[in-house]
Amino acid sequence: MLRHKRAIVTLLSIVLVLSAVLAGCSGQSKTSTSTISANNASEQVLNLNLGDEPPTLDPQKATDEVSFTILNDVLEGLVRYDMNGKIEKGSGLAKDWEISEDGLTYIFHLRDAKWSDGNPITAYDFEYAWKRALNPNTASQYAYQLFYIKGAEEYNSGKGSADQVGVKALDDKTLQVTLKAPAPQFLGLTSFPTYMPLEKSIYEKYGDKVGSDPNTLVYSGPFIIKSWEHEQSITLEKNPNYWDKDNVKLQTINFTMIKDNNSLVQNYDTGALDSIFIPGDYIDKYKDSPEYHNYALATVWYLQFNNKDKIFKNANIRKAFTLAINRELFVKEVAKNGSIPAEAIVPPGIPGYNGDFRSEAGQGYFKDNDVAQAKEYLQKGLQELGLSKLPSIKFLTGDIDTAKKYAVALQQMWNQALGVQVEIQSVAFKVRLDMMDKGDYQIVLAGWGADYNDPMTFLDMWETNNGNNTAFYSNPNYDKLIEEAKVNGDLKARNEEMIQAEKILMEDMPIGPLWFQARAYVVKPYVKDLYLPTFGPDWEMKWTYIEGKK
């Protein structure tokens, strides 16, 4: 049995943890460098498992947490979150900024910093990268993250020009950004990979191959990519040209891409890996160890239905598959990591108007494990489709052990509750993303983590034609609410619009929520200040160091 205090995390405890971390603590997050220097005799090498191959390290095209984890290490934006989840002036490539009283104009002043090739990082590199993300020819799925900028959406949709986009380098060190409406989350967004700078000459040299190999990028972050053995490993080394190199202690980070759970655990036990996320079957092995930890993420996992599929275009079929799942049993007996059942999209801990969004919107929109209602939806859906029985359904998932195990559990629940036959398709991460983009699936097990601390990060992706809307969902009423919420300066009304949008989403159910994620992990005691953010990359390692390793 799992240790209850950590493995069976209650909803309240997850809310408290997320609220504390996402809201940001008031204290400083500065590593005691003098202490580190005095005791820093250990070899500064960290060994972790990335799990999967990054699909792309092109900052304007990357969409996934595997890629984001590497990009956060090797690139830097205007700001960087500290270990308390706060943004301080001077935390990134902007040493300072001013915001106009109406909240529409930002003036960023860049620090003296260099790319890894020795060239200066300038405001022009930001203007170029942001407009590249918005260029329709780039086909960036995350282009919409820049739509807060005046003229950005128009340029991306072909109704405006690059010159009309509200981002302009006034000189090498000054970047002016004009928003179309006040957006409190904008500052945090400038740490997001799509907002990372790009040296124009690198793109002109490598074109679409940017980010495909170590030599097709230049680096602005704490580390550089030393080597990349595709599908096997990535090695990072400290960036000697990084502006804050004195506060970076690690010399090397070795990432493996182990997918087999037994090998993963063996590598941790032998010391080949310094920290791992614990597969559910191994919780008991570590649960009493002082190396064991558990934390909640601002992440929701869900069934994503292909709304263009001839079967799953039907909302009642989608509801049948969603309600047939026993989430409570799944998180307790399968995931075993402290995750909690999800009957909504926005995770607990994300702030609403005057508190937690989940508390303001309600905890859920349907009953867990409602098999009777699921059967009714199935019959209604079959009737609407003119079918007497469903054909075998294809369920797409990843090729790591944990993903396969999850898929089998869900497959069995559908079979027992609805009597449907489901065929599991296990493919590599990059292949799965490609199949989702192309709509080459019926159901896929998918997860979404917050890009910033606001409910909108879980909602705007389901707008019609959004680059990340690979469920191909479309509802004009939903789109209208999201668009209004994005520019509504009345925060109470904005919050109500997002609540109404989530209700519509759950009524249409293009995706079926499963669980809000928590993670259990172990870390060797000699690893210090390894920060695991609740959103964004898996690890923040700028301040990590090794001390006392024997």
Side-chain angles (χ1 to χ4, degrees):
M1 176 179 178
L2 303 178
R3 194 168 81 174
H4 293 279
K5 285 185 179 177
R6 284 178 175 168
I8 304 178
V9 178
T10 65
L11 175 60
L12 176 60
S13 65
I14 277 189
V15 170
L16 290 174
V17 170
L18 270 175
S19 298
V21 176
L22 292 176
C25 303
S26 58
Q28 297 293 309
S29 176
K30 294 182 179 177
T31 302
S32 176
T33 53
S34 58
T35 301
I36 297 169
S37 299
N39 300 287
N40 195 14
S42 301
E43 186 180 28
Q44 295 301 309
V45 179
L46 183 67
N47 303 290
L48 298 171
N49 181 44
L50 198 59
D52 276 298
E53 166 88 352
T56 178
L57 293 180
D58 182 330
Q60 276 71 56
K61 290 186 174 181
T63 63
D64 62 282
E65 68 173 347
V66 178
S67 302
F68 285 4
T69 294
I70 300 297
L71 289 172
N72 184 66
D73 293 325
V74 301
L75 296 180
E76 188 151 282
L78 292 168
V79 303
R80 178 179 284 267
Y81 283 95
D82 67 17
M83 289 191 292
N84 289 325
K86 284 190 68 176
I87 292 173
E88 301 281 358
K89 284 193 172 182
S91 57
L93 292 175
K95 64 179 181 182
D96 199 3
W97 56 79
E98 297 106 35
I99 305 173
S100 62
E101 288 188 6
D102 60 8
L104 295 178
T105 304
Y106 288 64
I107 302 291
F108 293 97
H109 303 282
L110 271 62
R111 64 172 67 257
D112 292 330
K114 293 181 179 179
W115 292 100
S116 56
D117 62 3
N119 290 327
I121 300 173
T122 72
Y124 296 100
D125 295 327
F126 283 92
E127 179 182 351
Y128 174 74
W130 294 11
K131 289 182 176 177
R132 176 179 175 251
L134 291 167
N135 186 331
N137 294 328
T138 304
S140 170
Q141 289 179 242
Y142 256 127
Y144 69 94
Q145 289 287 39
L146 293 98
F147 286 0
Y148 297 98
I149 301 171
K150 186 178 180 181
E153 186 170 5
E154 289 80 1
Y155 175 42
N156 185 249
S157 62
K159 298 175 182 175
S161 68
D163 292 340
Q164 295 171 316
V165 177
V167 55
K168 184 174 180 58
L170 302 181
D171 54 44
D172 280 354
K173 299 294 184 184
T174 312
L175 184 71
Q176 176 179 288
V177 182
T178 305
L179 305 186
K180 60 183 178 183
Q185 67 272 35
F186 177 72
L187 201 56
L189 272 172
T190 63
S191 70
F192 193 71
T194 317
Y195 281 82
M196 299 291 185
L198 183 64
E199 196 173 354
K200 184 178 180 181
S201 61
I202 294 299
Y203 180 74
E204 291 176 340
K205 184 175 182 180
Y206 296 108
D208 289 340
K209 292 183 178 179
V210 164
S212 60
D213 275 304
N215 62 352
T216 61
L217 270 178
V218 287
Y219 306 101
S220 56
F223 302 94
I224 64 171
I225 301 177
K226 179 66 175 180
S227 65
W228 184 356
E229 298 294 328
H230 290 282
E231 305 291 345
Q232 299 296 321
S233 64
I234 292 178
T235 298
L236 308 185
E237 288 194 351
K238 182 176 176 177
N239 181 358
N241 282 331
Y242 182 51
W243 68 270
D244 197 25
K245 62 183 179 183
D246 291 345
N247 281 317
V248 178
K249 302 304 174 187
L250 289 177
Q251 294 294 328
T252 303
I253 304 173
N254 296 312
F255 287 107
T256 59
M257 300 180 194
I258 298 171
K259 301 184 180 186
D260 173 71
N261 286 344
N262 290 330
S263 297
L264 183 66
V265 169
Q266 288 172 8
N267 274 273
Y268 180 76
D269 289 345
T270 60
L273 291 173
D274 298 314
S275 180
I276 61 169
F277 296 114
I278 308 171
D281 288 343
Y282 293 89
I283 295 291
D284 284 348
K285 174 181 171 66
Y286 297 110
K287 64 181 181 181
D288 295 323
S289 166
E291 298 172 8
Y292 176 92
H293 304 273
N294 181 288
Y295 72 113
L297 293 168
T299 296
V300 60
W301 281 83
Y302 48 84
L303 303 167
Q304 179 171 309
F305 303 105
N306 183 348
N307 286 233
K308 288 184 177 180
D309 179 76
K310 61 182 180 180
I311 299 296
F312 292 99
K313 67 182 181 183
N314 185 282
N316 286 311
I317 298 293
R318 300 195 295 265
K319 291 177 182 177
F321 274 72
T322 300
L323 270 61
I325 299 301
N326 187 335
R327 291 159 182 75
E328 193 70 45
L329 181 66
F330 182 91
V331 299
K332 184 176 181 180
E333 301 296 338
V334 182
K336 299 181 179 182
N337 57 10
S339 297
I340 59 174
E343 289 101 27
I345 295 300
V346 179
I350 299 292
Y353 170 65
N354 193 27
D356 182 74
F357 180 84
R358 197 63 284 132
S359 298
E360 295 171 348
Q363 296 304 325
Y365 296 92
F366 55 89
K367 279 178 57 182
D368 181 34
N369 191 30
D370 192 351
V371 175
Q373 185 65 60
K375 288 180 176 178
E376 286 188 24
Y377 280 131
L378 178 61
Q379 289 307 311
K380 189 182 293 187
L382 287 172
Q383 188 174 13
E384 290 170 350
L385 292 173
L387 298 174
S388 59
K389 181 182 178 182
L390 280 183
S392 180
I393 300 300
K394 292 184 178 178
F395 181 31
L396 180 63
T397 190
D399 63 348
I400 63 175
D401 279 0
T402 300
K404 292 176 182 176
K405 181 181 177 182
Y406 287 6
V408 169
L410 297 170
Q411 177 193 46
Q412 292 174 348
M413 289 181 184
W414 284 321
N415 181 260
Q416 292 172 7
L418 302 174
V420 298
Q421 299 299 314
V422 175
E423 174 189 349
I424 296 172
Q425 294 176 290
S426 297
V427 299
F429 185 53
K430 186 175 183 178
V431 175
R432 179 162 60 92
L433 294 185
D434 186 58
M435 292 175 71
M436 292 169 67
D437 292 343
K438 294 176 178 175
D440 185 17
Y441 71 96
Q442 288 189 294
I443 313 174
V444 60
L445 179 60
W448 189 261
D451 296 327
Y452 50 94
N453 191 16
D454 189 274
M456 187 62 79
T457 188
F458 292 95
L459 298 173
D460 62 352
M461 64 183 289
W462 306 114
E463 279 190 284
T464 303
N465 296 326
N466 182 288
N468 284 319
N469 181 3
T470 54
F472 309 106
Y473 168 65
S474 179
N475 183 323
N477 294 328
Y478 183 83
D479 294 347
K480 184 171 183 290
L481 283 166
I482 294 298
E483 286 303 304
E484 289 176 352
K486 282 184 173 179
V487 296
N488 197 338
D490 182 336
L491 297 183
K492 184 177 181 181
R494 175 180 183 268
N495 194 60
E496 183 58 32
E497 286 165 343
M498 291 191 289
I499 290 173
Q500 294 304 317
E502 190 187 48
K503 287 180 180 177
I504 291 176
L505 197 67
M506 289 296 87
E507 177 58 32
D508 292 344
M509 208 159 275
I511 58 173
L514 292 174
W515 69 88
F516 296 126
Q517 187 178 4
R519 268 178 169 168
Y521 69 100
V522 281
V523 58
K524 301 293 187 185
Y526 51 77
V527 179
K528 310 296 184 183
D529 286 351
L530 178 63
Y531 173 51
L532 286 73
T534 56
F535 62 90
D538 281 342
W539 305 277
E540 170 58 83
M541 290 167 282
K542 173 177 174 177
W543 300 280
T544 303
Y545 62 100
I546 306 297
E547 184 180 72
K549 183 177 182 180
K550 298 177 181 178

